[in-house]
Amino acid sequence: KALTQASLLCSTQTLKPMASCNTELAASLRDEKVDPRVIAYLTDKLHLRCLSDFANYWTDAEVDAALQNEVVGMVEPFKTDMPKAASKIQVARLRTSWKKARAQNTSQNSQFSSNGQKRQQFCFVSGASGAGKTTICNVLTDNGYKIFDGDIWCAGGDPINQVDAPVTKEMVASRNPAMAKAVTDAISVGRTKMGKGEPVPWQVW
């Protein structure tokens, strides 16, 4: 249960620390010699944070036109010189990077890992009061999932063994100061900016 509008997201990928995600995508694109300005557009303007974001942003049918018109065609100096070789080279390098990311993402989303062990699934359930989060969580629990209660975790409680427990002053007081600040920032800065339609710095989340 979390702070954004109702959604249910499922992923079979291994979770990665947020701080390394953007580095992963940028490093991969640099390896393919994609121009730094194009990389910045993908990460800063399109908010693509990791290889799976990049791989899933476009379909096979739309990726060629999108890389040319929605990415390279939006970045100077390529924007005004799209017919020239330099722009075409950037599109080709991006296409190569996208295909590699797509292949890697498909492999990671396999039911089994490379050593034959079955992958675990992670589901993120969020929404406003009354949106049906508890109902969804009950269904997931019936199907073998363990619930990690984000509200309880933010309050300093045990997110697995105290699901839906009432928040107490003792819980809140026991939080690590760094964690308490992170939660406060996410609520006071993140939710406030989102409510106003303003961009939220990635570090807040």
Side-chain angles (χ1 to χ4, degrees):
K1 299 176 186 177
L3 306 173
T4 56
Q5 56 185 314
S7 61
L8 172 60
L9 305 175
C10 298
S11 173
T12 53
Q13 299 179 45
T14 303
L15 297 179
K16 300 176 182 178
M18 290 182 180
S20 69
C21 235
N22 193 39
T23 304
E24 175 196 40
L25 176 58
S28 177
L29 295 174
R30 285 195 295 269
D31 288 344
E32 295 296 333
K33 295 181 171 53
V34 175
D35 189 278
R37 291 162 292 191
V38 175
I39 296 174
Y41 185 84
L42 288 166
T43 57
D44 298 342
K45 298 295 184 181
L46 298 186
H47 304 291
L48 303 184
R49 302 297 178 183
C50 48
L51 288 174
S52 61
D53 289 345
F54 185 52
N56 293 313
Y57 199 74
W58 301 283
T59 66
D60 291 300
E62 64 191 11
V63 66
D64 287 337
L67 292 177
Q68 178 175 320
N69 302 321
E70 298 175 18
V71 182
V72 177
M74 301 300 292
V75 178
E76 294 291 2
F78 311 109
K79 183 177 181 179
T80 53
D81 294 317
M82 278 305 296
K84 293 189 176 180
S87 300
K88 294 180 179 180
I89 289 173
Q90 290 302 310
V91 172
R93 289 173 178 173
L94 279 175
R95 186 185 299 110
T96 298
S97 297
W98 181 84
K99 288 181 177 179
K100 288 182 178 179
R102 191 80 161 178
Q104 179 177 327
N105 189 65
T106 300
S107 174
Q108 287 180 338
N109 280 334
S110 170
Q111 186 179 9
F112 295 92
S113 62
S114 58
N115 61 8
Q117 293 183 336
K118 190 171 182 177
R119 293 183 181 275
Q120 294 185 338
Q121 252 185 352
F122 174 82
C123 292
F124 180 83
V125 183
S126 69
S129 178
K133 301 184 297 294
T134 299
T135 300
I136 292 175
C137 286
N138 288 339
V139 172
L140 293 173
T141 301
D142 291 341
N143 284 275
Y145 284 78
K146 290 185 177 180
I147 303 300
F148 184 103
D149 193 320
D151 292 337
I152 290 295
W153 180 79
C154 288
D158 186 326
I160 295 177
N161 297 314
Q162 292 180 299
V163 174
D164 289 329
V167 175
T168 66
K169 292 181 179 179
E170 290 75 20
M171 278 185 190
V172 176
S174 69
R175 294 183 302 178
N176 178 284
M179 174 189 173
K181 181 180 184 306
V183 172
T184 299
D185 287 348
I187 295 174
S188 63
V189 178
R191 294 180 78 179
T192 299
K193 284 183 174 291
M194 285 180 66
K196 295 179 179 179
E198 299 175 359
V200 181
W202 180 249
Q203 292 83 354
V204 170
W205 304 122

